[in-house]
Amino acid sequence: MRGATHAKWAALAVAVALTVTACGGGGGGGGGGGADGIVSSSWGDPQNPLEPGNTNEVQGGKVLSMIFRGLKQYDPKTGEAKNMLAENIETTDSTNFTITLKDGWTFSNGEAVTAKSFVDAWNYGASLKNNQKNAFFFGQIEGYDQVHPESGEPTAETMSGLKVVDDKTFTVKLTQKFSTWPDTLGYVAFAPLPPSFFDDHAAWLNKPVGNGPYTVGSYAKGSQMELQRWDAYPGEDKAQNGGVTLKVYTDNNTAYTDLTAGNLDLVDDVPASQLKNVEADLGDRYINVPAGIIQTLGFPFYDPAWNKPGQEKLRQGLSMAINREQITDTIFQKTRTPAVDWTSPVLGEEGGFKDICGDFCKYDAEEAKKLVAEGGGIPGGTMTITYNADTGSHKEWVDAVCNSINNALGNNRACVGNPIGTFADFRSQVSTQKMKGPFRAGWQMDYPLIQNFLQPLYYTNASSNDGKYTDPEFDKLVDQANAESDIAKAVQTFQSAEEVLRDDMGAIPLWYQNGSAGYSERISNVTLNPFSVPVYDQIKVN
């Protein structure tokens, strides 16, 4: 929830469920220049097919943010949720909403964007039959439990809380008050879908059709995706270039080398190993700005070995065994800040940022060793931290975290890294509950609310609750916070839920991540939005 007003709170904050970034090999810059020039940028293959309801990781989210526009759009500078396709979103009780669309919007294939485009898309995303990863985001709408029951088969095809009034109007009824619900509607899960999505789903997945500034030209998995400017795009944020070629890299050090060699225009994740060189290499073409991203260590609560009574002390001890200051100073060089809670400083104090973690996030070897012992010790005597190996920085910090834990516990076998080859494979194993110990986790906010840092990750059976953490008191407090119409009280209630999370140590906060990027002399007007994603449509080719 927010401070004072919806808009003001959002402006204090800084996109897509999303977990952390990955990059991956290939080179080659874009051709041409001027308004029709093509920008080349580093990228990683998405985990899932590119449909709004099923994309909750960063790489797929980057594409969807270029080919779709929703009811709201987050300001690329402030993060404020501004109307895009919505003319008005009205409510008198924070439960029943009437949404009116602007005129003139179509999909890139010429089909009109109507109220039905949203209602059909949301019903599709929510349905258990369609197995969409973002289904949880529709959980506040009345009738969700009929289309997506916790057990058994659906008893309805559509949610009763969605009604089409006419081509430009639809209504939404929530199950409880959610005063800031309209500001979630810039998240890509709430994007509209054209009739062609339903008429020939396989063909649509092969070449997605949206209503954003770009269209998909081609995609070769493991190689690149070509996006082209849509000249008939009706929005004000028209693309300032001819298109973007997203090149897949399995090592972001290779991407950085291609950038400095003039074979790539943009790298949006400067590897840790290059941070000592980046200012000398790029000068003012290096971007390092705060972003709504937190990195954590998740736990497999679905594994009985990691879900025993009293093990909260084990997790708290492991947290205190991590020397965050040393790791962020030596490895990340001013691009990370040690975490003191489970949200992000970009929210500001009014938005909910506060030192909740306290001593549990401060390095104390003696206390760490004591708590780990009181918590029953590390299951099996040795724990692995699983991470994807297709970026250079993860191995470095995972090794550093393990060294810190081993030194604090006086046991050089307490912790070891466990690399998995690619981001897609890693996310597949994490999201299907295959972890045998702690795993690299993180959150790049979908929308600028404290709720987004807590509910999707730690609420029982939430969409991105990969570790299957659950606590009824946490759930109750989140529900109370969502229903609170007083913004300041809502924030306080979310923070109370965060205190429950702290006492359980449901995940270990590590550090807040800045957005970092570097670009070539060939392009200009390059910025990162508050989600750390390049504002591709505003990049100009010189």
Side-chain angles (χ1 to χ4, degrees), residues 3-257:
T5 66
H6 296 325
K8 183 177 179 182
W9 190 97
L12 291 170
V14 241
V16 291
L18 309 207
T19 43
V20 230
T21 343
C23 291
D36 294 327
I38 305 299
V39 178
S40 61
S41 181
S42 61
W43 190 50
D45 281 313
Q47 179 187 2
N48 301 301
L50 290 171
E51 47 191 341
N54 208 31
T55 297
N56 69 343
E57 44 74 36
V58 171
Q59 303 305 335
K62 290 175 185 176
V63 178
L64 294 184
S65 72
M66 288 193 273
I67 66 173
F68 277 103
R69 287 295 181 264
L71 294 168
K72 294 273 189 177
Q73 182 78 358
Y74 300 114
D75 187 283
K77 293 182 179 179
T78 67
E80 180 183 350
K82 296 181 176 179
N83 282 353
M84 179 54 80
L85 270 71
E87 182 70 45
N88 290 299
I89 302 177
E90 298 174 318
T91 184
T92 58
D93 59 6
S94 296
T95 302
N96 294 279
F97 296 84
T98 298
I99 299 173
T100 307
L101 303 181
K102 293 177 181 176
D103 290 323
W105 281 86
T106 67
F107 294 98
S108 61
N109 63 0
E111 294 175 311
V113 179
T114 67
K116 191 172 185 295
S117 307
F118 285 96
V119 170
D120 286 352
W122 295 6
N123 277 320
Y124 180 89
S127 175
L128 180 63
K129 295 188 300 184
N130 300 321
N131 196 30
Q132 300 286 282
K133 291 187 177 296
N134 286 329
F136 179 81
F137 286 93
F138 304 104
Q140 292 94 353
I141 299 175
E142 184 183 82
Y144 175 81
D145 55 347
Q146 267 77 59
V147 301
H148 201 116
E150 290 188 15
S151 61
E153 295 296 317
T155 57
E157 293 288 324
T158 60
M159 291 181 284
S160 57
L162 293 179
K163 303 287 185 188
V164 174
V165 177
D166 55 42
D167 280 353
K168 289 290 184 287
T169 312
F170 67 104
T171 60
V172 184
K173 183 177 183 180
L174 306 183
T175 56
Q176 64 177 40
K177 290 184 178 181
F178 190 172
S179 57
T180 53
W181 180 76
D183 292 327
T184 71
L185 299 179
Y187 181 45
V188 71
F190 296 102
L193 288 170
S196 59
F197 176 90
F198 304 97
D199 295 341
D200 191 340
H201 189 218
W204 191 96
L205 289 179
N206 188 52
K207 194 171 184 179
V209 173
N211 65 324
Y214 294 94
T215 62
V216 176
S218 64
Y219 174 39
K221 186 175 176 63
S223 178
Q224 67 181 33
M225 174 178 284
E226 295 180 355
L227 295 123
Q228 302 163 347
R229 182 181 63 215
W230 178 29
D231 288 330
Y233 172 65
E236 294 182 359
D237 54 336
K238 295 179 183 294
Q240 302 299 302
N241 49 69
V244 178
T245 297
L246 298 173
K247 295 179 173 290
V248 176
Y249 285 83
T250 55
D251 182 351
N252 59 355
N253 283 289
T254 306
Y256 184 83
T257 300

Side-chain angles (χ1 to χ4, degrees), residues 6 77 98 136 141 255 265 323 353 366 382 463 488 490-491:
H6 296 325
K77 293 182 179 179
T98 298
F136 179 81
I141 299 175
D265 292 325
N323 193 331
F353 174 66
E366 184 177 344
T382 300
S463 59
V491 167

Side-chain angles (χ1 to χ4, degrees), residues 360-441:
F360 290 141
C361 284
K362 294 174 183 173
Y363 181 69
D364 186 333
E366 184 177 344
E367 185 65 16
K369 193 171 185 178
K370 176 183 169 210
L371 283 170
V372 168
E374 289 177 357
I378 294 172
T382 300
M383 73 178 199
T384 59
I385 296 179
T386 302
Y387 64 97
N388 57 297
D390 54 356
T391 59
S393 58
H394 295 318
K395 174 176 169 49
E396 292 178 28
W397 73 254
V398 169
D399 287 349
V401 165
C402 278
N403 287 338
S404 183
I405 291 172
N406 291 345
N407 290 336
L409 301 185
N411 177 2
N412 62 11
R413 294 182 302 167
C415 178
V416 295
N418 177 40
I420 290 179
T422 67
F423 176 72
D425 190 18
F426 167 72
R427 281 299 309 156
S428 177
Q429 292 190 38
V430 168
S431 59
T432 54
Q433 288 71 55
K434 299 241 175 83
M435 296 294 101
K436 301 298 183 185
F439 53 93
R440 178 184 83 84

